[in-house]
Amino acid sequence: MAAAMPLALLVLLLLGPGGWCLAEPPRDSLREELVITPLPSGDVAATFQFRTRWDSELQREGVSHYRLFPKALGQLISKYSLRELHLSFTQGFWRTRYWGPPFLQAPSVWINLGRSSVMSSQGSSAPLSTSSTPPTQSLPLPPSNPWVWPMTLTTTFCAMLCCRGRWSAPKTSPPGRSSCPVVPRASLISFHLLQAGLSVLLKADRLFHTSYHSQAVHIRPVCRNARCTSISWELRQTLSVVFDAFITGQGKKDWSLFRMFSRTLTEPCPLASESRVYVDITTYNQDNETLEVHPPPTTTYQDVILGTRKTYAIYDLLDTAMINNSRNLNIQLKWKRPPENEAPPVPFLHAQRYVSGYGLQKGELSTLLYNTHPYRAFPVLLLDTVPWYLRLYVHTLTITSKGKENKPSYIHYQPAQDRLQPHLLEMLIQLPANSVTKVSIQFERALLKWTEYTPDPNHGFYVSPSVLSALVPSMVAAKPVDWEESPLFNSLFPVSDGSNYFVRLYTEPLLVNLPTPDFSMPYNVICLTCTVVAVCYGSFYNLLTRTFHIEEPRTGGLAKRLANLIRRARGVPPL
Amino acid sequence: MGLLSDPVRRRALARLVLRLNAPLCVLSYVAGIAWFLALVFPPLTQRTYMSENAMGSTMVEEQFAGGDRARAFARDFAAHRKKSGALPVAWLERTMRSVGLEVYTQSFSRKLPFPDETHERYMVSGTNVYGILRAPRAASTESLVLTVPCGSDSTNSQAVGLLLALAAHFRGQIYWAKDIVFLVTEHDLLGTEAWLEAYHDVNVTGMQSSPLQGRAGAIQAAVALELSSDVVTSLDVAVEGLNGQLPNLDLLNLFQTFCQKGGLLCTLQGKLQPEDWTSLDGPLQGLQTLLLMVLRQASGRPHGSHGLFLRYRVEALTLRGINSFRQYKYDLVAVGKALEGMFRKLNHLLERLHQSFFLYLLPGLSRFVSIGLYMPAVGFLLLVLGLKALELWMQLHEAGMGLEEPGGAPGPSVPLPPSQAMGLALYVLPVLGQHVATQHFPVAEAEAVVLTLLAIYAAGLALPHNTHRPLSYRVVSTQAPDRGWMALKLVALIYLALQLGCIALTNFSLGFLLATTMVPTAALAKPHGPRTLYAALLVLTSPAATLLGSLFLWRELQEAPLSLAEGWQLFLAALAQGVLEHHTYGALLFPLLSLGLYPCWLLFWNVLFWK
């Protein structure tokens, strides 16, 4: 089994070729952290984040010396005058209803290659933080050839990215951005790994026995000062996994680092300027006695995350006392009283998407949007990208909540062009409090040209998830935070103002069967038979409907014909 | 071509068809029947083989060992069920959650068009419980279903126990690539239908149900399980679904592979499969199985809850545990291992099952007849109709030369509308008029429906007396007195041939069965000669009589012969079930017979009593 596991791992292109111990003051820094969160369903989510920051203007200076920042990415930035890059590879699906709002917004699609499924997807999503994008000299971007991007990324990340048709941008996104919301079924092949600090825990055979696995690379420029006269480049590499408590814990909800990763932390990363582990020890029922962490944390940290107040225990690996005591650090969490076996609390916003109907001619795409907030309505921006081979009937678009029609306040539809670009449907819908809103649209399945079918046409064709963006009302007010000082993971939860928090959700990808010819011998036989029948039909029909009269054989060939010629000349009827 | 375009040869050919018509018809009919009987002999039946690459070898190590757990679950379930008198929804939810599934329920209700006396239900409301095992690192795009239909009596609790034990075992494994839905439905097939309709968000049969909260993508395959004892002697597999649809043959091959691997005794139509196909005994035994399958498929009813999945293009079959008096018995672990193996193999599927046959006949579990080989049988039977129609056409053509009457020939078209109206009445009136009937006659609704059916059916026989009265004034032609009935018979023959042809394409068994009985009398019917004999023959081969005959044949093949009275009771029950299944599941046999074949048969009846 283990042999079949793909050893795909986070693209840790961290280690420069040496020279980091030079006396010159470091212009780049690395911070790493791990956030461990018990989820409402009892599963445990672990989010790694590695941030490399480099005070260098890559696009202006001819930089050739790289230390912590990976050279491959740096060259990418300077060559294409890249402003931002967000790329994520996800296996699995974040089950919002059971796990709560996602920490890292990444879509998910998967590909099944037999047992050893390798899957990934790509989300080139909007900037997560609100920090200003500094002005950079603008070169034409995206490159005029739409294939340059996938190709370059493919070679850099050793992953297969291919977009069917043109990359399209939703209307609500800033202009000049090239974005392909989701590439269903891209394959990730390879990876690099550095074994120190938190990345000790990145052990492939454990990480790939999880319920969810998402890794991402985000590159963006950040301002070095308030006036933004100079910029630094920030590379964030994240990995989030969800451990299935049922399988790893044999039904118990207690966990420890060793049980999850089969490793413990032994040393801080020598390159990192900050190396911390955060454990969410918020109790859900105001009773402090329900759980305990071991070893007891030195400090705790309180903040408002996704609308609720959270308490985190902090373990600083750079604190020498932390590891020196026992030569390793194995954080454990025990539930004193086992949490009751009831359905977990439902988040305010979650969604479900499915294809309804049967048969191979028509169908319906339905999206259910749940607002479980008891008294507040909020708007949601729904973005759907549907491949052209599902021909949408836009007049059948219906949006109903609580049995009444719900008129979207904004709607943008860009029709598909066959073989060129997908349908793009974008709308802003107000979700009433405590309601289910159903958005449905009918489609007809197109018949592809026979060379356009994939090698496995009977598997079906993927339809990428719809993307929901919403400002969800929070339970407690959050104060604006200073991004530099607060823990790194705060940058995952952008806060617009105190009463709301921003959530981006992805629904399930769908698998739709198209009418598929049987690419086998019977198909050829049927084609051949039909041709023969078609050829024969005409003559048979002709024969069956025609009446035949027997004509008397002509006698006296030449003489008679001559006589007739003469008679015609004379105007007398022929013989 | 040359043969037909040369008038001399053409005339000779026409003369041949006219002169040798009767022997040709007999020959063709006999050839059709003989071809069908020959299907069970080896050159025509072939060994089954696995076509799907992903399920090719059986290299799966089954590890299921939860026999005790399954029995404990079954005991608990039976006890809770007895206590509550219905499906113990709360207990099921709790148990499924405790084995680590995502649990959802769905409530549904349905008022049947008239009380179902076989299952004793009328206003049905119930709750389905299902748990979803989410495949790790997958996005719920594909799923498999294991379903246990629970009826009103307390059977099938062992199946629920095994389902829960399998769910617990499956939950601990990490190799799943597709989600697995464990579904327990109430009111057996009604519950399954409600769940399937809600899952696909369609309403085909007027079922009221709550929307589903949890889904798991496109369902790739489903297995229904029926077990009523802790030990089984054999497993019976049912493939025939709604309207005679069949699952892909590979699914059956998969089951058979695991039966062989686990040494389980497997039966098809309750019959063991013959070992020796070279001697005469094997094929004869196979013929019995084949006939049983033809009868079952022709009935168009779903034989097990798998039958309803087929409409949604989900390959499915039902496994039934049989506990008979055989010595060697298997416990739940053996059955569980077979199921585990099947699910792990289905989990490997990269595409929907499509490689193997969708249209086949089975004379045994490891033998099949493909569509290319069985179609000639029905082709020969339909040829009789064609030959007869050709003869009539030629006769009419010769008689009609230069005899165009001024009044036209209204004859053939006159009985058509009344016959079709009769069919429509047969289709609509019994269910619509049941309340009127119960007010005026001392019968229950279900009886009223059946009796109305029979009454309308019989009333159709009086049609010729009424339709011919206006006709007798108008037809004055004395030169060609046969023209009217000949034209009518020609129309009826073509109508019948078209209908049977279409039916045989979609449901071979039904088409073949109807062709065997209706074709000879249809060819014989004419208003001369021994009319009473013809009338008796025609009545004996009418669709209703075919149904009655099939019931007797069915029980005879099952080695449980019926007495006349029992047969009649069964016939009445079958009529009621046929109407009910049309309304509850959308079975097409009832409308097909009442709107298509019965009016057509009435046309022949009209021919027979032509004045």
Side-chain angles (χ1 to χ4, degrees):
Chain A
M1 195 65 58
M5 283 306 297
L7 276 171
L9 252 199
L10 184 64
V11 197
L12 279 176
L13 306 151
L14 282 176
L15 194 56
W20 51 272
C21 52
L22 292 176
E24 171 197 343
R27 289 170 66 209
D28 48 2
S29 63
L30 169 70
R31 290 164 78 189
E32 57 173 13
E33 68 176 4
L34 165 64
V35 187
I36 299 177
T37 322
L39 296 172
S41 67
D43 298 335
V44 182
T47 309
F48 291 86
Q49 181 156 232
F50 304 89
R51 187 170 86 162
T52 315
R53 204 181 144 159
W54 193 11
D55 297 341
S56 156
E57 303 222 1
L58 279 167
Q59 289 171 352
R60 294 205 184 132
E61 305 157 12
V63 179
S64 61
H65 182 66
Y66 287 81
R67 206 177 76 107
L68 289 176
F69 204 88
K71 187 171 182 179
L73 294 180
Q75 286 177 338
L76 199 70
I77 294 169
S78 47
K79 176 154 188 205
Y80 293 110
S81 305
L82 203 66
R83 278 187 222 161
E84 287 192 27
L85 172 74
H86 302 272
L87 180 71
S88 72
F89 296 95
T90 305
Q91 281 184 310
F93 175 65
W94 186 273
R95 306 192 183 280
T96 313
R97 185 174 165 188
Y98 288 88
W99 295 344
F103 301 153
L104 289 165
Q105 291 95 7
S108 72
V109 178
W110 71 276
I111 170 176
N112 187 358
L113 300 176
R115 272 268 34 274
S116 52
S117 14
V118 177
M119 63 198 76
S120 76
S121 69
Q122 186 266 7
S124 173
S125 49
L128 298 175
S129 78
T130 50
S131 63
S132 62
T133 320
T136 45
Q137 58 180 16
S138 55
L139 283 170
L141 196 148
S144 52
N145 180 356
W147 292 106
V148 168
W149 269 116
M151 283 306 179
T152 315
L153 293 180
T154 297
T155 46
T156 313
F157 293 99
C158 302
M160 276 300 297
L161 303 174
C162 49
C163 226
R164 235 171 239 267
R166 211 183 287 158
W167 290 28
S168 60
K171 210 177 175 186
T172 45
S173 67
R177 265 190 56 211
S178 158
S179 112
C180 176
V182 175
V183 183
R185 305 178 68 186
S187 319
L188 175 63
I189 302 161
S190 135
F191 14 81
H192 302 261
L193 191 60
L194 167 73
Q195 288 290 336
L198 288 180
S199 44
V200 167
L201 298 179
L202 302 176
K203 197 168 180 247
D205 65 335
R206 303 302 295 180
L207 294 181
F208 280 92
H209 284 184
T210 50
S211 316
Y212 175 83
H213 177 111
S214 172
Q215 56 198 51
V217 176
H218 305 274
I219 303 174
R220 58 166 193 173
V222 288
C223 294
R224 247 182 268 181
N225 51 30
R227 287 175 49 231
C228 218
T229 48
S230 54
I231 56 164
S232 322
W233 283 91
E234 183 196 73
L235 165 69
R236 259 192 16 238
Q237 298 170 90
T238 60
L239 167 70
S240 57
V241 285
V242 174
F243 288 93
D244 187 347
F246 201 86
I247 293 181
T248 29
Q250 285 89 41
K252 280 194 240 165
K253 289 189 172 177
D254 301 344
W255 59 261
S256 65
L257 281 188
F258 189 77
R259 189 180 278 175
M260 289 195 295
F261 298 101
S262 76
R263 294 278 176 91
T264 52
L265 289 170
T266 48
E267 55 175 349
C269 175
L271 296 176
S273 59
E274 186 184 305
S275 184
R276 282 177 177 173
V277 179
Y278 292 83
V279 181
D280 184 355
I281 51 168
T282 320
T283 48
Y284 293 104
N285 48 2
Q286 309 301 319
D287 189 357
N288 284 333
E289 293 304 301
T290 47
L291 47 79
E292 72 170 0
V293 254
H294 182 82
T298 43
T299 46
T300 59
Y301 168 78
Q302 281 210 345
D303 197 1
V304 176
I305 301 290
L306 292 174
T308 45
R309 190 166 295 284
K310 299 267 188 184
T311 313
Y312 289 93
I314 303 178
Y315 298 88
D316 192 349
L317 297 191
L318 294 178
D319 180 3
T320 45
M322 187 59 69
I323 285 179
N324 281 1
N325 283 349
S326 54
R327 312 286 282 152
N328 67 25
L329 174 66
N330 181 22
I331 303 168
Q332 300 172 40
L333 184 135
K334 283 203 178 77
W335 292 87
K336 282 187 173 172
R337 209 183 305 142
E340 53 281 8
N341 208 359
E342 63 185 23
V346 180
F348 286 151
L349 173 69
H350 60 106
Q352 192 194 355
R353 193 166 187 233
Y354 56 89
V355 183
S356 40
Y358 61 91
L360 286 178
Q361 197 201 349
K362 286 184 180 179
E364 193 172 32
L365 285 176
S366 307
T367 313
L368 296 179
L369 310 172
Y370 293 84
N371 174 8
T372 56
H373 200 285
Y375 52 85
R376 276 194 60 180
F378 54 85
V380 163
L381 187 69
L382 178 72
L383 171 68
D384 256 334
T385 324
V386 181
W388 64 267
Y389 38 82
L390 303 187
R391 307 193 186 283
L392 292 184
Y393 293 145
V394 187
H395 72 279
T396 59
L397 176 71
T398 48
I399 305 166
T400 46
S401 13
K402 292 184 166 175
K404 275 181 289 185
E405 198 197 335
N406 187 342
K407 219 168 163 13
S409 39
Y410 159 78
I411 195 160
H412 166 65
Y413 173 66
Q414 183 189 328
Q417 287 171 23
D418 278 8
R419 297 172 182 88
L420 284 178
Q421 82 178 14
H423 301 269
L424 188 88
L425 186 60
E426 205 176 8
M427 49 200 153
L428 190 67
I429 307 168
Q430 184 80 9
L431 303 185
N434 204 5
S435 70
V436 184
T437 304
K438 183 177 178 183
V439 182
S440 62
I441 185 164
Q442 288 178 12
F443 63 83
E444 191 181 282
R445 298 161 206 245
L447 193 63
L448 303 186
K449 290 181 184 164
W450 69 278
T451 46
E452 286 171 346
Y453 286 96
T454 50
D456 52 350
N458 283 287
H459 177 71
F461 289 77
Y462 285 98
V463 177
S464 50
S466 33
V467 187
L468 295 170
S469 317
L471 285 175
V472 179
S474 45
M475 296 295 271
V476 281
K479 57 180 188 306
V481 283
D482 181 5
W483 295 106
E484 280 307 305
E485 296 307 312
S486 65
L488 285 180
F489 65 83
N490 264 0
S491 59
L492 305 178
F493 315 111
V495 177
S496 59
D497 67 71
S499 60
N500 292 317
Y501 62 95
F502 177 77
V503 167
R504 175 173 291 132
L505 293 184
Y506 293 86
T507 61
E508 297 96 329
L510 301 174
L511 191 59
V512 179
N513 273 87
L514 294 185
T516 312
D518 180 6
F519 294 107
S520 59
M521 205 199 64
Y523 176 62
N524 303 332
V525 172
I526 290 170
C527 288
L528 204 68
T529 323
C530 288
T531 316
V532 171
V533 167
V535 166
C536 290
Y537 175 77
S539 39
F540 259 109
Y541 184 74
N542 193 358
L543 279 173
L544 287 174
T545 51
R546 184 178 288 181
T547 43
F548 291 91
H549 293 283
I550 297 172
E551 202 172 282
E552 293 303 318
R554 294 176 179 181
T555 48
L558 189 65
K560 194 173 180 182
R561 233 179 277 170
L562 272 175
N564 273 341
L565 269 180
I566 298 165
R567 288 173 81 98
R568 194 183 294 167
R570 285 169 52 199
V572 182
L575 282 172
Chain B
M1 292 302 126
L3 193 69
L4 286 174
S5 53
D6 179 357
V8 183
R9 282 193 215 153
R10 190 169 150 143
R11 211 174 293 150
L13 198 70
R15 214 173 296 136
L16 192 76
V17 168
L18 276 178
R19 234 191 28 228
L20 291 183
N21 195 274
L24 276 179
C25 284
V26 172
L27 195 69
S28 173
Y29 185 76
V30 170
I33 301 286
W35 189 287
F36 178 77
L37 295 179
L39 287 181
V40 288
F41 289 94
L44 292 181
T45 88
Q46 299 158 33
R47 291 196 76 84
T48 53
Y49 54 90
M50 188 74 88
S51 299
E52 177 61 60
N53 246 339
M55 303 196 303
S57 60
T58 43
M59 284 194 297
V60 171
E61 191 194 348
E62 299 92 339
Q63 289 161 333
F64 177 70
D68 295 329
R69 207 164 176 199
R71 274 189 294 278
F73 277 136
R75 265 198 306 277
D76 280 6
F77 176 76
H80 278 90
R81 186 167 185 189
K82 211 172 214 172
K83 209 160 62 187
S84 66
L87 197 70
V89 174
W91 179 83
L92 268 176
E93 275 189 86
R94 210 167 49 239
T95 317
M96 281 190 177
R97 202 162 281 146
S98 77
V99 300
L101 304 183
E102 258 183 58
V103 190
Y104 303 93
T105 59
Q106 180 218 7
S107 55
F108 63 93
S109 68
R110 174 84 164 92
K111 182 172 173 272
L112 301 181
F114 57 91
D116 181 358
E117 297 201 328
T118 325
H119 297 96
E120 292 171 356
R121 57 193 180 193
Y122 184 32
M123 312 276 280
V124 182
S125 66
T127 311
N128 296 328
V129 184
Y130 64 104
I132 303 177
L133 190 167
R134 296 290 184 191
R137 281 166 291 109
S140 298
T141 48
E142 292 171 288
S143 57
L144 306 170
V145 173
L146 176 61
T147 172
V148 172
C150 289
S152 48
D153 45 355
S154 62
T155 53
N156 246 1
S157 45
Q158 272 77 8
V160 176
L162 187 56
L163 174 131
L164 290 171
L166 275 175
H169 174 66
F170 286 180
R171 184 66 176 83
Q173 312 306 319
I174 52 163
Y175 43 65
W176 299 113
K178 298 176 171 50
D179 289 6
I180 303 179
V181 181
F182 295 91
L183 168 67
V184 180
T185 62
E186 204 174 0
H187 298 295
D188 45 47
L189 297 199
L190 280 178
T192 314
E193 179 69 30
W195 189 80
L196 279 170
E197 284 186 15
Y199 194 91
H200 295 96
D201 201 10
V202 289
N203 200 336
V204 186
T205 60
M207 184 84 68
Q208 274 119 38
S209 63
S210 59
L212 295 192
Q213 297 285 315
R215 282 187 170 76
I219 305 177
Q220 304 290 305
V223 177
L225 186 63
E226 293 177 17
L227 274 182
S228 299
S229 54
D230 283 346
V231 287
V232 294
T233 51
S234 59
L235 275 184
D236 190 50
V237 56
V239 286
E240 303 85 359
L242 190 69
N243 296 325
Q245 272 186 290
L246 297 171
N248 194 288
L249 190 58
D250 267 345
L251 193 61
L252 191 77
N253 293 340
L254 182 68
F255 168 70
Q256 201 222 340
T257 315
F258 279 97
C259 272
Q260 277 177 351
K261 190 182 176 198
L264 276 167
L265 198 60
C266 294
T267 58
L268 185 73
Q269 321 287 354
K271 304 269 181 204
L272 276 178
Q273 96 146 343
E275 314 236 316
D276 178 22
W277 287 86
T278 47
S279 70
L280 198 62
D281 284 352
L284 281 185
Q285 210 180 329
L287 184 64
Q288 247 183 356
T289 319
L290 184 70
L291 275 176
L292 277 169
M293 171 165 182
V294 164
L295 288 174
R296 266 192 175 191
Q297 201 191 357
S299 75
R301 358 179 4 187
H303 289 270
S305 61
H306 75 281
L308 301 172
F309 282 85
L310 296 174
R311 173 190 289 154
Y312 303 94
R313 211 182 157 206
V314 177
E315 309 310 320
L317 45 75
T318 292
L319 305 183
R320 280 195 188 93
I322 308 283
N323 194 12
S324 67
F325 302 108
R326 265 175 218 282
Q327 279 253 297
Y328 196 80
K329 303 204 187 254
Y330 305 92
D331 60 351
L332 292 183
V333 175
V335 183
K337 277 190 171 170
L339 280 169
E340 185 195 356
M342 284 178 74
F343 271 86
R344 288 192 58 180
K345 278 290 184 180
L346 290 171
N347 183 48
H348 291 189
L349 276 185
L350 296 178
E351 302 181 62
R352 270 172 196 275
L353 285 171
H354 69 284
Q355 300 270 14
S356 195
F357 293 84
F358 282 97
L359 302 161
Y360 50 86
L361 288 178
L362 295 167
L365 206 51
S366 63
R367 295 268 165 171
F368 79 105
V369 186
S370 85
I371 177 168
L373 293 173
Y374 66 62
M375 274 321 253
V378 79
F380 277 122
L381 294 187
L382 296 183
L383 185 64
V384 175
L385 297 179
L387 282 172
K388 213 70 200 169
L390 202 61
E391 185 199 20
L392 281 174
W393 171 248
M394 286 176 178
Q395 284 175 353
L396 274 175
H397 204 64
E398 283 173 9
M401 283 291 188
L403 282 177
E404 292 305 324
E405 291 162 39
S413 59
V414 168
L416 261 173
S419 305
Q420 283 297 337
M422 248 2 241
L424 194 65
L426 189 66
Y427 176 62
V428 175
L429 282 186
V431 175
L432 266 188
Q434 51 171 321
H435 299 297
V436 184
T438 45
Q439 277 164 16
H440 293 87
F441 301 98
V443 285
E445 277 101 338
E447 275 182 310
V449 170
V450 174
L451 294 179
T452 324
L453 262 182
L454 287 176
I456 296 176
Y457 196 88
L461 304 188
L463 214 57
H465 297 286
N466 304 318
T467 51
H468 288 176
R469 212 162 288 148
L471 196 70
S472 52
Y473 301 120
R474 281 201 266 163
V475 177
V476 283
S477 152
T478 48
Q479 292 129 313
D482 288 343
R483 261 192 80 119
W485 73 262
M486 279 167 121
L488 177 60
K489 188 175 170 185
L490 178 63
V491 169
L493 280 175
I494 293 172
Y495 189 23
L496 183 66
L498 273 179
Q499 283 194 36
L500 290 180
C502 292
I503 294 172
L505 278 181
T506 51
N507 185 350
F508 166 79
S509 301
L510 183 61
F512 179 77
L513 210 62
L514 288 169
T516 323
T517 54
M518 289 183 80
V519 162
T521 44
L524 280 177
K526 58 180 174 190
H528 312 298
R531 263 203 202 180
T532 23
L533 178 67
Y534 285 161
L537 272 180
L538 206 51
V539 168
L540 275 182
T541 55
S542 79
T546 309
L547 174 61
L548 187 65
S550 305
L551 285 174
F552 278 102
L553 179 62
W554 161 254
R555 295 297 288 262
E556 192 64 44
L557 287 170
Q558 284 201 319
E559 286 149 25
L562 283 171
S563 70
L564 271 180
E566 278 174 339
W568 181 251
Q569 285 304 317
L570 210 60
F571 174 64
L572 295 183
L575 285 182
Q577 284 299 308
V579 179
L580 261 183
E581 272 161 16
H582 169 57
H583 285 100
T584 46
Y585 312 128
L588 290 176
L589 185 66
F590 173 55
L592 201 69
L593 290 184
S594 61
L595 294 174
L597 283 161
Y598 174 66
C600 186
W601 180 83
L602 276 183
L603 292 182
F604 288 106
W605 187 257
N606 271 293
V607 168
L608 191 60
F609 290 100
W610 191 269
K611 290 197 184 97

